[in-house]
Amino acid sequence: MSHVTIDGRQFDLDGLSDEARQQAANIQVIDQEMARLKTQMLIYQTARNAFAVALQQALPKE
């Protein structure tokens, strides 16, 4: 039996309506995508920082 916790209350997924199960699944998919996008943003920020360092090193020295 799978459970889902919503607003501090735990529900047995098997006891929910088809619509409620689908909405819970939708939330899970969105949560996974948001986590993936956060990871992508961290990768992009790391790359940007590396490019900024490379740019600083490529600029003429005073």
Side-chain angles (χ1 to χ4, degrees), residues 12-32:
D12 177 11
L13 283 175
D14 292 334
L16 297 178
S17 68
D18 289 343
E19 181 182 356
R21 279 195 307 274
Q22 184 60 52
Q23 295 305 331
N26 290 341
I27 289 171
Q28 183 179 27
V29 167
I30 294 303
D31 285 347
Q32 290 170 350

Side-chain angles (χ1 to χ4, degrees), residues 20-49:
R21 279 195 307 274
Q22 184 60 52
Q23 295 305 331
N26 290 341
I27 289 171
Q28 183 179 27
V29 167
I30 294 303
D31 285 347
Q32 290 170 350
E33 181 64 10
M34 288 171 57
R36 187 189 71 78
L37 289 170
K38 285 179 185 177
T39 299
Q40 284 295 114
M41 287 299 297
L42 290 172
I43 291 167
Y44 296 147
Q45 187 63 52
T46 300
R48 186 188 187 287
N49 292 344

